[in-house]
Amino acid sequence: MTRARRTHGLSRRHFALALPSALLASGCTAPYKGTGRPGDPIVLTLLSHYASGELKAALQGPVDEWNATHDRIKVQTKAVEFTDLLTTFMVRQAAGQGADILHPYCLWAGQLVRAGVLRPAPPEHAEEIRRGYGEAAVRSSSVGGRLYGYPTEMQTYALYYNKRLLREAGIDGPPRTWRELEEAAYRTSRRDRYGNTLVQGFGLSTYDDSTTVGQTLALLNAAGGTFVSADGRSTAIDSPAGRAVFDLEHRLVTKGASAPGVNVYKAFPSGQVAMVVSAGWWTGSLKPLMGKDYRDVGVAPLPVPETGDRRATLSTGFMLGVNAASEHPCAAWDFLRWLNTAKVGVKSAKKVTTATRMSSLQVSVGSLTGRADDMRTLLGEGGDPNLRPFLDALAYAVPEPNVPGAQQAKSLLRKNIEALWTGQQSVDEALRTTRRQVDQEVSRAW
């Protein structure tokens, strides 16, 4: 599934949209255009990052179904690559060419709301979302306690491990605590006589945001910490929990159990990484990539610092919302309700049951949604057991903070994590610099 890769720089311009507040609140005040006859339908545009391959085909399926069964309202999909998605939202909005329906990364929700791009969900839709989705999914699609769309793709983080490598090191199963994690990492690490890494015990990688930052924030959540304060105006990483995570990662690197310059997305499938923290989307990619060697892959809940600690991890996600400038908000919300809440028949575990179209779409490409009931139905008893820990994590995952400066704050955190891993900064320096830079960013008057 799509990872939260590095994005282009953010625009800090405010886009003034001349829309009355009552229109934004209700979402359904704007009049329809067209006669409503088959020859003169309303055409809604949906802009997403599902630009190619199985993602594009998976979304087009339900869209084609809608268009075949609805004469008055049609939906047309448009797509750009994920790395261009945020910039496209902002630029097209400024030019008055924004799509009716948007599919943003939830991390950007605060920025898009502040810029007047997203329309609040009408009360009846907000109630459906709160009723049908888990807390993490609801929070990730909300800004200031107000919902702005239907959660779609939902990713939680857990520990991937190579059963064979652990077994060869005399380790019976995956670690449950950080002490066990460190011990397993050191015991499974291997280098050649020249000091080159043959096997990383624990994969830390500077490959992209979802790897560098995602695994660090997952560990931070597991330690009971948070990246951004509750009011969204400062960072909370310079805390005992944040220090514990940075200390752990620093030890793993300096003692040779982790080699951040190695691309874990290539090294783990090749048996060169014993353990790594990553999101559930990877499961669907590993199966075809590893073939019969996939039997060596296990997934376990993220280890916690001490036995008995409460479980927590990171969740990321996407949402489908309606453009504040759309001329057909009621039609757009109707389509989103049909796609995300209406149940249709599906086959699961040799029986026919029901699930939403969006949940079926996500499972078909190896992902999850925040609808735990759908996920249990669709995964069934015969599903891949490696997806179960990610499904279970929906109940205790902590969503990424989505304050207006969240994307830039994430980029700054990544920069300082990499400086720590490469020895350019000490733990103290990395925490101090992160706090100063991120505080400046999230407290900015956007």
Side-chain angles (χ1 to χ4, degrees):
M1 206 57 192
T2 305
R3 296 189 298 277
R5 296 185 292 265
R6 185 185 307 187
T7 57
H8 295 318
L10 302 184
S11 168
R12 293 191 175 93
R13 293 181 55 194
H14 288 195
F15 302 110
L17 299 174
L19 292 173
S21 58
L23 174 59
L24 289 178
S26 69
C28 294
T29 307
Y32 289 144
K33 292 184 178 180
T35 65
R37 294 190 297 269
D40 187 18
I42 296 164
V43 178
L44 303 172
T45 53
L46 188 164
L47 177 60
S48 77
H49 62 291
Y50 289 0
S52 60
E54 63 179 4
L55 291 173
K56 182 177 181 179
L59 177 60
Q60 195 60 47
V63 169
D64 288 345
E65 180 190 352
W66 168 276
N67 289 336
T69 55
H70 292 77
D71 290 333
R72 192 171 62 87
I73 303 167
K74 303 294 183 181
V75 177
Q76 182 181 59
T77 59
K78 297 180 181 295
V80 296
E81 294 297 330
F82 176 79
T83 49
D84 298 324
L85 188 59
L86 179 58
T87 301
T88 302
F89 287 151
M90 302 297 276
V91 170
R92 289 190 181 181
Q93 195 78 3
Q97 299 175 351
D100 296 284
I101 299 171
L102 307 176
H103 194 196
Y105 181 27
C106 290
L107 183 75
W108 308 330
Q111 179 183 350
L112 294 173
V113 169
R114 183 67 61 88
V117 177
L118 285 174
R119 177 186 299 268
E124 63 273 22
H125 292 269
E127 177 58 31
E128 285 186 342
I129 295 167
R130 291 190 180 96
R131 186 171 57 245
Y133 295 82
E135 181 182 357
V138 171
R139 287 172 57 192
S140 66
S141 300
S142 302
V143 176
R146 195 171 194 181
L147 275 159
Y148 283 85
Y150 283 89
T152 58
E153 174 186 343
M154 187 79 176
Q155 300 294 342
T156 57
Y157 281 66
L159 182 77
Y160 286 87
Y161 63 97
N162 186 303
K163 300 174 186 177
R164 176 181 58 80
L165 292 176
L166 264 61
R167 186 170 58 250
E168 290 174 353
I171 301 169
D172 294 334
R176 293 162 295 181
T177 65
W178 286 11
R179 184 187 299 274
E180 293 177 359
L181 175 69
E182 274 198 83
E183 181 183 354
Y186 300 140
R187 287 172 61 176
T188 53
S189 298
R190 295 209 324 267
R191 292 176 178 264
D192 64 19
R193 60 178 179 171
Y194 303 107
N196 299 311
T197 299
L198 298 176
V199 175
Q200 284 191 79
F202 185 79
L204 295 175
S205 180
T206 58
Y207 182 76
D208 63 6
D209 281 353
S210 70
T211 315
T212 306
V213 177
Q215 59 194 1
T216 299
L217 292 187
L219 290 168
L220 178 66
N221 294 151
T226 58
F227 178 35
V228 176
S229 62
D231 64 6
R233 305 298 291 176
S234 63
T235 181
I237 198 169
D238 191 2
S239 63
R243 181 173 295 276
V245 174
F246 276 31
D247 277 338
L248 172 65
E249 294 182 346
H250 185 254
R251 287 195 302 272
L252 290 168
V253 173
T254 56
K255 293 184 178 181
S258 299
V262 175
N263 181 351
V264 293
Y265 295 115
K266 292 182 178 179
F268 183 84
S270 301
Q272 297 172 307
V273 176
M275 299 174 293
V276 63
V277 173
S278 194
W281 64 265
W282 202 18
T283 302
S285 300
L286 286 171
K287 275 185 173 182
L289 189 63
M290 296 182 68
K292 62 181 178 59
D293 290 334
Y294 181 72
R295 64 190 175 190
D296 292 332
V297 177
V299 177
L302 204 65
V304 291
E306 301 288 344
T307 302
D309 284 352
R310 185 177 180 180
R311 281 182 179 166
T313 189
L314 176 71
S315 70
T316 63
F318 286 77
M319 59 184 283
L320 276 168
V322 176
N323 195 327
S326 174
E327 295 181 342
H328 312 293
C330 264
W333 286 115
D334 285 347
F335 170 73
L336 292 185
R337 175 191 280 128
W338 176 89
L339 180 63
N340 292 280
T341 69
K343 301 272 188 166
V344 294
V346 295
K347 288 185 178 180
S348 176
K350 300 181 180 180
K351 63 181 180 180
V352 177
T353 183
T354 60
T356 64
R357 293 174 176 85
M358 179 53 69
S359 291
S360 297
L361 184 163
Q362 295 298 332
V363 169
S364 75
V365 294
S367 185
L368 304 175
T369 69
R371 300 187 69 103
D373 58 339
D374 278 356
M375 292 302 98
R376 293 189 183 95
T377 294
L378 291 165
L379 296 179
E381 295 179 0
D384 186 345
N386 282 341
L387 285 175
R388 288 290 161 178
F390 300 105
L391 172 57
D392 294 341
L394 291 173
Y396 57 79
V398 179
E400 284 183 296
N402 60 7
V403 295
Q407 179 63 66
Q408 183 64 13
K410 185 174 184 177
S411 298
L412 291 168
L413 176 58
R414 175 184 179 180
K415 179 180 178 180
N416 286 291
I417 291 170
E418 292 179 354
L420 172 69
W421 290 353
T422 55
Q424 299 173 56
Q425 290 184 358
S426 66
V427 169
D428 285 339
E429 289 169 335
L431 288 170
R432 187 167 56 248
T433 304
T434 300
R435 181 184 62 201
R436 175 175 52 79
Q437 292 178 344
V438 175
D439 280 0
Q440 181 179 11
E441 189 62 33
V442 298
S443 64
R444 180 186 305 278
W446 285 76

